[in-house]
Amino acid sequence: MKVQDLEFKKFIPAAAITEKVKALANQLNHDYKDKTPIFLPILNGSFMFASDLLKEVKVPCRISFVKTSSYSGTSSTGQLKTLIGHDESLFNQHIIIVEDIVDTGLTLEKIIEELRSLGAKSVEAVTLLRKKPAREKKVDVKYVGFDLNDEFVLGYGLDYDGLGRNHKDLYKQAEK
Ligand code: IMP
Ligand code: MG
């Protein structure tokens, strides 16, 4: 599949993603059974993952979206551009950040820092995908779907220059 100038090949099929999403939801249902957490999906990338995950979450919960951006093309700019508005009060709440992918971990670290300063009772993160830099830096993500190396991926909410978010399977960039 060609997207702009890059070639992508199928990587993780929708059925495998569905299975993993259910397993992550089961873990959350177990760990938060006596709590009413607030899920904070990070837009845009996590919209599809958050939607599927939250359909399997059975504990009472609130959901509020935040938006950030640190990517340009296929690499991180190293700077977090925006963090647009959670409307719920987060003070004394159990927060679960929902991410599509953690790469350098910069986005997540910034958000966790901000949430702690707002007085959240606990802050954890669930991500569908985690890349090698985040593992090496030991970025604090409790719930991880799939561990990747450094491949650039697209589909299931993830984009390349805004394109490809709509695919239900995950693709990765083909070697040149
Ligand atoms: P980090 O701040 O470097 O951890 O980057 C996190 C954000 O970069 C993710 O939430 C994605 O939106 C984006 N990103 C990182 N890797 C990829 C990728 O392989 N494909 C598409 N987007 C990515
Ligand atoms: Mg993202």
Side-chain angles (χ1 to χ4, degrees), residues 34-130:
D34 301 316
K35 303 187 174 90
T36 303
I38 301 182
F39 285 90
L40 285 190
I42 311 302
L43 295 173
N44 294 321
S46 73
F47 81 96
M48 210 176 268
F49 173 49
S51 171
D52 287 344
L53 180 76
L54 287 160
K55 279 180 263 183
E56 303 294 334
V57 166
K58 306 302 178 197
V59 298
C61 64
R62 297 186 171 86
I63 304 166
S64 182
F65 296 89
V66 297
K67 183 162 171 130
T68 65
S69 166
S70 70
Y71 250 63
S72 173
T74 62
S75 63
S76 177
T77 59
Q79 280 187 320
L80 199 66
K81 280 192 273 195
T82 46
L83 179 53
I84 305 169
H86 31 77
D87 45 9
E88 304 273 346
S89 170
L90 305 176
F91 180 74
N92 234 6
Q93 300 295 315
H94 295 287
I95 311 293
I96 305 168
I97 299 162
V98 183
E99 263 287 29
D100 49 352
I101 188 163
V102 183
D103 179 4
T104 63
L106 176 88
T107 309
L108 196 57
E109 283 177 341
K110 287 270 162 64
I111 293 169
I112 290 174
E113 196 180 302
E114 176 158 346
L115 293 173
R116 294 226 163 98
S117 76
L118 290 170
K121 192 180 259 174
S122 70
V123 183
E124 297 294 352
V126 54
T127 185
L128 181 68
L129 306 162
R130 176 173 61 179

Side-chain angles (χ1 to χ4, degrees), residues 141-155:
V141 199
K142 189 161 179 185
Y143 306 94
V144 178
F146 300 97
D147 267 311
L148 313 182
N149 289 319
D150 270 337
E151 48 261 320
F152 185 78
V153 295
L154 160 148

